[in-house]
Amino acid sequence: MTVPSPFALEAVNITKRFGAMIALDSVSLSLRRGTVHALLGENGAGKSTLVKCIMGYYLPDEGQVLFGDREQSISSPHDAHLLGIGMVYQHFTLIPNMTVAENLVLARPRLPAVINWRAELASLEKEMKGMPFQVPLQASVNTLAAGEKQKVEIIKQLLLNPKVLILDEPTSVLTPNEADEVLSRVRAMTQERELSVLIITHKFREVMNYADDVTVLRKGKYIGSTTVAEATPQSLAAMMVGRETIASPLQRAQRQRGNASLDVTDLWVENDNGVDVVCGLNLTVHDGEIVGIAGVSGNGQKQLVEVLAGQREPLRGSVRLHGAAYTATRAQMHEHRFRCLPEEPLRNACVGPMSVADNLALRRYDRPPYSSKSRILHRAIFKRIAREWVESFGIRTPGIEAPIANLSGGNVQRSVLARELSDAPHVLVVANPCFGLDFGAVAEIHNRIMAARNGGAAVLLVSEDLDEIMEMSDRVVVISGGKLVHETTPATADMTRIGQFMAGH
Amino acid sequence: MMRHLETIAIPVGAVAVSLVLFGVFITIAGANPLEVFASIYRGAFGSWFAWQDTLVRAAPLMLTALCTALPARAGLIVIGGEGAVVVGGFCAALVGIVLNGVLPPLLVISSMVLVGALAGGIWVGAAGALRHYRGVNETISSLLLNYIAIALLNFFVVGVLKDPATLNKPSTFPIGDANMIGAIGESSIHWGLGYGIIVCVALWFLMRRTTFGFGVDVVGGNVRAAQLTGLPVGRLIVSACVLGGAAAGIAGMIEVAAVHGRANTSLNAGYGYAGILVAFLARHNPIAIIPVAILLGGIRASSGVLQRAHDLPDATTLVLQGLIFVLILASEALYGRIPWLQPKAPPKEQPVMQAKEQPKEQPA
Ligand SMILES: Nc1ncnc2c1ncn2[C@@H]1O[C@H](COP(=O)(O)OP(=O)(O)OP(=O)(O)O)[C@@H](O)[C@H]1O
Ligand SMILES: [Mg+2]
C-alpha cells in the first residue's frame, strides 16, 4: 500500500489559451486535505480560469488535474460533481423565480423522474440542521438579498457532500460581517468533515484570517505558494503586482461647495414586488463633492440608483439635474453629462455578446466622431477610441473585438469605468464600484472617482463598504427604510451613531 | 473570423442532420431517399425552369423573414409575418382597385407598395407596442393577430368586396392588368424578387451601419444597458417591429400585384410562417436571408416534382421544412460549446491588448 497523498487535489502545469491570449501559463496548485487554500491575483490574473479548468468547465490545453492520488480526466462539471468536487461560481447560478428548496433539489446530479416534493422538503429540512447556516427554504430566490443568495449557493454545494469545495469570490457581494459569518462556518467545516476548500478572494483580511495556504497568480503565471503563517498582506501584495505596493493616496482637492447639481425631492419607488422601498427620499449633491450613502443593503439604495440610471420608474417625486427636470432620457444624460457606474456591470451596463469596442461606444455612438450627421457609424473610430481606452485604462482583453462577456469581472468594470469617466462627467452616480476588484484596481478606481470630483463633478456614491464611504466622501448620509435618516461628515462622524442609524434605531 | 466559422458550421450541420432524418422519413414513406434528394435538387435548381419557380417563391420569403429577423434583433420573437402579408396584400389591393385608371400605373404601384408596407407595419408594430407598453407576450399577440388578419380578409372577400365573377375562389375585384408588376426580361420571374433583394440590402445597411441599428442591437442584447445609456427602448422596439411588418406587408402587396391580381385567401399560403424559419436559419442577418430564402424557396418549389415522380404527398416538403426548423432551433444551444469551432489561431491583424505597464512579450 502506498501512503495516501496529503493532497486532496492537485493541478499540475495547467496551460490554457483563449485565442492568442494565454490565460494560464503552466500553473500548478496543491490543495492539502482538510485545509482552506486561498487563490490570489489581480483582476484577469486567471483565477477563475484555473478553477474552471479544474471543474472541467474549460478543457486545459496542457496539464493534468490529480484528484485523490490519481490523475483524473474531468471533462465537464458533471464529472467533477460525481468525483465530489463542488464549485460556487463568481456569478449567481440560482434560478431566480424558483424557491430555494426547488433550487437545492434541482442541483442534485441524479434526479428521479418524478419528484416527491413533500418528501424532498422534509429531508431538506432535516439536512439543513447540519448546515453551517440557515436559509429560508420556501422563499423565492428573487426575493433574497445577495448575501442570502450566496449562502444558498454554498449550501447547494454542501448538500452534495463534496470532498473539495471551490468558491470563486464568494464574499464579493457580502458585507464584511456576512463574509466573516460565511467564512468562519466554512472553515469550521473543513475540520469537522473531510472537506478541503479552495477559495478565490481579493481581500487580504480574509486570507489572513481564514486560509491555511495561499497561491498567487499574476497575469496567467504561477508566482508562488506559501502558508499563511509565513505571509503578510504586504508580502502577498508584492507577489500579486510584482513590486512593492504603491499606496498612492487619494488626492482630494480643496474646493468650495458648488451649485446643487443633483436634486432628489420626495422620491417614492417600489421594488419588483410592489413594496415601497424608497419612501419620500430627499437628497442634494453639489458640484465638486462626493456624497456617500451608507446603509445596510435592502434599504432602497438599489432602487434609488436604478431610478437615477433610468432602469426603474419612480412612483412619484422629482429628480432634477442643474435645476431641470430629469427623466433619464439620452438627451438629458448628454446635456448634463450624467454618467453612472452601477453594480454588476455586466448585467447593468454592458451588452455581453457585443464587442468591447461597441460596449465602449455605448454613450456616444450616436454623435460625432462615432457617427456622421446622417447617422452612419464610423467603425474605424469605434476601434481607434477603444484601443486608446484599453491602453489608458489597462483593460486586459483578448482584443477589442472580443465579446465583453469574455473579460474577467474586473476588466468588465474597468471598461465601464473608461466609458463613463472619459468625457468629464458633471453628475456621477456610483454604486458599489469595487465589488470583486483587486486592491490595485480599487485604489485606481477611487482615484479616478476622486479626480472626477476634483474636476467639479457632483458624485453620489452608494456603497455597502463603510470604509470606502468614509474614505471617499465629503458628506455621509445614512439610508434606512428608504429615507435618509442621518447626515454627517467623515471628519465629525461618530461610528457608533452611524451604526445605530444603519440598523434602524 | 472564427466566430463566423461557427455561425456557418452550426446551421449547415443542423440542415445536414435534418436531411438525414428526412431520408429516414422518406424510407418509411416507401421511396428511395437518394432519388428523392436528387428530385428535390432537380425541382429546385436543376433547370432554368426550376430556378425561375424557386426565385419566384424566394421573393416573398425574403420579405417575411425580415418580419421575424428585425424584431428578433430588438429581443422580440415575432411570428406575425402571415398576418402582415394578409393585411398588406389586402390593403394594397384596395388601393389598387380604387386608383385603377385614376392614376398612371407607376403611381398606383407606388401607392400600393406604400400602403401595403404601412398596413403590415402597423399590424406588427401593434404587437411590439403591446409588448413594450402593456407587457403582452409578443409571440402570442402576433400569432393571434395572424388569425384576426385572416378572418378579416375572409370577411371582406366573401362579403362586401367580393367580385361576383370569382366563383370557386372568392376574391376582390382585380387591380387591373396595367397595374401589375411585370416579369424580369423574358423570364417568368417577376420584379418582386428585386423588391425582396433591395429591401434586404437596405435593412441590412440600416441595421449594421447606422446608429438606429446599433441602438436596436443594444436593446436586444441587454435592455438594462440600453436604459442606463438613455436609449428610447420603446421607440426602438416598436420601430423594429414596424419595419419588419412593413417588409412582410410588401410581400403581400407583391403577391397581389405580381401573382394573383387581386386579394384572396391565397395570401395566407404560409409564406409568413416559412419566413420565421428563414430568419432563424439566417441568424436574423438581413443579408444572409437572401440565400437562405432561395434555398427554402427551392425546397418548396420541388414539392410538385416529388408528387409526380415519387407519388409522395404534397406536404412532404413541409416535413423537411419542419425538421430543419426544429433542428435549427435546437442547434442554437451549441454555440460556444463545440471545442474545434472555437477560435484557436491568433488572428494576425489583431494584436493582444494588454495593460500599459506589462512587458510587451509576444505569446508564442
Ligand atoms: N471565454 C473566454 N474567452 C476569451 N478570453 C477569456 C475567456 N475567459 C477568460 N478570458 C480571459 O482570460 C483572462 C483571465 O480571466 P479570469 O476570469 O480567469 O480572471 P480572474 O483572475 O478570475 O479575474 P477577476 O478577479 O476579475 O475575476 C482575462 O484576461 C480574460 O479576458
Ligand atoms: Mg474571476
Side-chain angles (χ1 to χ4, degrees):
Chain A
M1 281 243 15
T2 49
V3 191
S5 141
F7 300 116
L9 182 105
E10 284 180 275
V12 186
N13 296 334
I14 304 271
T15 296
K16 175 76 191 166
R17 299 186 194 91
F18 293 110
M21 137 121 26
I22 302 189
L24 290 174
D25 187 358
S26 193
V27 171
S28 302
L29 179 147
S30 307
L31 172 59
R32 285 190 292 141
R33 264 180 224 286
T35 62
V36 177
H37 192 121
L39 185 55
L40 268 176
E42 290 179 294
N43 295 123
K47 306 177 298 292
S48 297
T49 306
L50 176 60
V51 293
K52 283 178 182 169
C53 284
I54 293 175
M55 285 300 290
Y57 187 93
Y58 291 145
L59 292 184
D61 296 316
E62 285 156 37
Q64 302 98 45
V65 175
L66 307 179
F67 180 73
D69 301 340
R70 283 200 285 137
E71 181 178 342
Q72 290 287 353
S73 73
I74 302 175
S75 53
S76 72
H78 188 73
D79 288 0
H81 284 144
L82 293 181
L83 284 174
I85 310 177
M87 171 155 168
V88 174
Y89 289 88
Q90 192 167 359
H91 305 285
F92 289 127
T93 59
L94 299 171
I95 302 165
N97 46 14
M98 290 181 124
T99 67
V100 170
E102 285 166 342
N103 269 285
L104 293 178
V105 172
L106 287 181
R108 286 217 310 259
R110 274 179 286 255
L111 270 182
V114 178
I115 300 174
N116 179 347
W117 284 106
R118 194 187 296 246
E120 292 291 349
L121 259 180
S123 82
L124 267 183
E125 265 161 25
K126 207 154 77 236
E127 285 181 274
M128 286 300 289
K129 296 219 171 70
M131 286 296 139
F133 26 75
Q134 301 304 308
V135 288
L137 286 178
Q138 303 282 18
S140 169
V141 165
N142 50 20
T143 64
L144 299 184
E148 281 177 306
K149 280 191 209 162
Q150 194 61 276
K151 288 182 191 169
V152 177
E153 292 275 11
I154 293 174
I155 285 183
K156 188 169 101 180
Q157 296 303 327
L158 289 178
L159 284 175
L160 303 175
N161 254 317
K163 299 196 188 69
V164 171
L165 180 60
I166 301 176
L167 303 168
D168 192 351
E169 297 192 28
T171 58
S172 285
V173 292
L174 303 185
T175 62
N177 287 340
E178 284 175 321
D180 282 332
E181 184 195 348
V182 167
L183 292 180
S184 59
R185 299 282 171 81
V186 166
R187 185 178 167 76
M189 247 175 345
T190 60
Q191 277 129 28
E192 287 160 19
R193 322 176 173 196
E194 179 71 358
L195 179 70
S196 317
V197 175
L198 178 59
I199 177 173
I200 299 178
T201 177
H202 287 297
K203 296 174 184 141
F204 294 133
R205 191 181 63 83
E206 295 172 1
V207 176
M208 300 311 293
N209 292 349
Y210 301 105
D212 301 292
D213 300 328
V214 49
T215 293
V216 179
L217 304 185
R218 189 199 313 148
K219 291 172 182 151
K221 296 214 169 56
Y222 172 82
I223 300 301
S225 296
T226 157
T227 61
V228 168
E230 295 166 41
T232 64
Q234 289 73 25
S235 71
L236 292 177
M239 282 170 86
M240 272 173 69
V241 297
R243 54 194 132 89
E244 290 305 308
T245 45
I246 20 71
S248 71
L250 282 178
Q251 301 290 329
R252 184 190 300 273
Q254 281 307 316
R255 293 189 55 104
Q256 289 294 317
R257 182 193 267 198
N259 299 325
S261 283
L262 169 65
D263 232 319
V264 177
T265 322
D266 193 29
L267 189 72
W268 291 75
V269 189
E270 55 181 21
N271 67 7
D272 290 338
N273 300 330
V275 180
D276 288 356
V277 287
V278 174
C279 314
L281 182 134
N282 293 295
L283 171 76
T284 305
V285 185
H286 302 85
D287 286 344
E289 75 167 346
I290 299 179
V291 173
I293 298 191
V296 178
S297 77
N299 274 284
Q301 304 89 317
K302 185 171 153 207
Q303 287 76 13
L304 170 64
V305 171
E306 283 177 339
V307 166
L308 296 175
Q311 294 174 331
R312 189 178 285 275
E313 290 284 323
L315 286 177
R316 59 176 182 275
S318 81
V319 179
R320 296 183 161 270
L321 293 185
H322 305 113
Y326 167 76
T327 50
T329 65
R330 197 165 171 87
Q332 291 164 350
M333 287 180 183
H334 180 76
E335 184 190 340
H336 300 290
R337 291 284 179 77
F338 175 91
R339 296 293 181 257
C340 183
L341 297 171
E343 58 186 31
E344 290 189 72
L346 195 53
R347 182 172 101 90
N348 278 311
C350 298
V351 185
M354 282 174 107
S355 71
V356 174
D358 285 354
N359 272 285
L360 287 175
L362 281 192
R363 278 288 178 198
R364 305 193 62 115
Y365 74 87
D366 50 356
R367 300 183 180 274
Y370 285 99
S371 51
S372 61
K373 280 247 160 51
S374 49
R375 297 168 178 254
I376 306 295
L377 300 174
H378 298 317
R379 292 281 181 181
I381 305 280
F382 278 52
K383 290 183 187 166
R384 202 197 71 214
I385 296 178
R387 285 207 185 90
E388 274 168 25
W389 289 356
V390 161
E391 176 86 358
S392 59
F393 281 75
I395 302 167
R396 218 166 114 80
T397 162
I400 53 170
E401 294 295 339
I404 199 162
N406 282 1
L407 267 56
S408 83
N411 283 303
V412 174
Q413 180 72 296
R414 270 171 209 259
S415 309
V416 176
L417 199 70
R419 180 181 82 204
E420 302 291 309
L421 293 186
S422 284
D423 54 353
H426 292 166
V427 180
L428 181 64
V429 174
V430 184
N432 293 312
C434 298
F435 272 6
L437 294 192
D438 65 62
F439 70 97
V442 167
E444 182 190 330
I445 286 182
H446 283 173
N447 274 314
R448 291 202 192 256
I449 294 172
M450 189 58 78
R453 169 221 176 254
N454 293 344
V459 181
L460 180 66
L461 168 68
V462 177
S463 174
E464 281 161 35
D465 180 349
L466 202 49
D467 294 338
E468 179 173 53
I469 298 232
M470 289 298 160
E471 190 190 346
M472 297 287 297
S473 309
D474 295 284
R475 221 151 36 94
V476 177
V477 291
V478 178
I479 190 169
S480 176
K483 280 201 270 285
L484 301 186
V485 291
H486 182 59
E487 176 172 338
T488 177
T489 60
T492 61
D494 172 349
M495 294 310 277
T496 39
R497 290 206 58 196
I498 290 187
Q500 282 165 354
F501 278 112
M502 280 172 66
H505 298 303
Chain B
M1 263 312 285
M2 293 302 280
R3 284 178 73 207
H4 291 169
L5 177 64
E6 188 174 52
T7 56
I8 290 173
I10 289 181
V12 168
V15 171
V17 174
S18 28
L19 285 179
V20 172
L21 290 179
F22 182 62
V24 174
F25 169 78
I26 292 295
T27 315
I28 294 170
N32 179 337
L34 292 179
E35 282 171 15
V36 169
F37 286 139
S39 297
I40 291 181
Y41 177 77
R42 252 183 294 117
F45 310 109
S47 63
W48 174 229
F49 176 79
W51 264 105
Q52 295 183 39
D53 193 10
T54 295
L55 290 177
V56 165
R57 289 167 193 261
L61 286 180
M62 290 173 195
L63 293 164
T64 55
L66 290 168
C67 186
T68 295
L70 260 64
R73 299 195 78 97
L76 271 61
I77 301 198
V78 163
I79 56 173
E82 192 82 359
V85 169
V86 168
V87 293
F90 177 70
C91 293
L94 286 188
V95 171
I97 295 164
V98 172
L99 298 184
N100 183 13
V102 180
L103 292 180
L106 189 66
L107 285 183
V108 177
I109 292 178
S110 313
S111 321
M112 284 174 68
V113 170
L114 223 72
V115 170
L118 201 70
I122 291 173
W123 207 250
V124 178
L130 279 170
R131 156 66 188 271
H132 183 73
Y133 297 104
R134 313 268 5 124
V136 180
N137 180 303
E138 77 282 359
T139 314
I140 306 287
S141 70
S142 60
L143 179 68
L144 295 180
L145 282 168
N146 288 347
Y147 296 139
I148 295 173
I150 294 167
L152 283 176
L153 175 74
N154 284 335
F155 173 78
F156 285 113
V157 295
V158 300
V160 281
L161 294 172
K162 181 175 172 185
D163 178 357
T166 56
L167 290 175
N168 42 9
K169 186 164 216 171
S171 306
T172 59
F173 290 92
I175 58 169
D177 284 344
N179 299 322
M180 294 287 284
I181 301 177
I184 303 177
E186 296 290 288
S187 71
S188 66
I189 308 165
H190 55 70
W191 275 106
L193 179 66
Y195 287 42
I197 291 175
I198 290 170
V199 174
C200 279
V201 171
L203 289 183
W204 173 83
F205 185 83
L206 183 72
M207 299 311 290
R208 301 308 293 264
R209 290 277 181 271
T210 70
T211 57
F212 171 79
F214 191 84
V216 169
D217 282 353
V218 172
V219 170
N222 182 2
V223 174
R224 293 183 69 85
Q227 290 168 329
L228 182 95
T229 48
L231 292 181
V233 173
R235 214 175 70 207
L236 289 168
I237 286 182
V238 174
S239 311
C241 290
V242 167
L243 285 172
I250 295 176
M253 177 272 169
I254 290 171
E255 285 301 288
V256 167
V259 184
H260 307 296
R262 39 178 105 218
N264 56 35
T265 50
S266 308
L267 276 175
N268 54 312
Y271 281 120
Y273 293 114
I276 303 168
L277 168 55
V278 175
F280 274 86
L281 264 168
R283 311 219 75 215
H284 311 307
N285 176 342
I287 282 287
I289 281 176
I290 297 174
V292 174
I294 292 174
L295 189 75
L296 215 43
I299 292 178
R300 291 168 77 94
S302 67
S303 77
V305 176
L306 294 194
Q307 216 171 345
R308 270 175 275 125
H310 303 277
D311 205 18
L312 288 167
D314 194 17
T316 308
T317 51
L318 290 181
V319 172
L320 177 56
Q321 200 177 302
L323 281 172
I324 295 178
F325 194 28
V326 169
L327 278 146
I328 285 290
L329 286 183
S331 71
E332 294 273 316
L334 292 178
Y335 284 90
R337 297 206 182 168
I338 301 179
W340 42 270
L341 288 180
Q342 304 310 313
K344 276 198 193 80
K348 278 284 178 302
E349 70 281 4
Q350 214 174 76
V352 180
M353 299 284 158
Q354 290 182 326
K356 217 190 225 156
E357 67 274 11
Q358 280 189 136
K360 288 266 185 289
E361 51 188 345
Q362 211 45 48

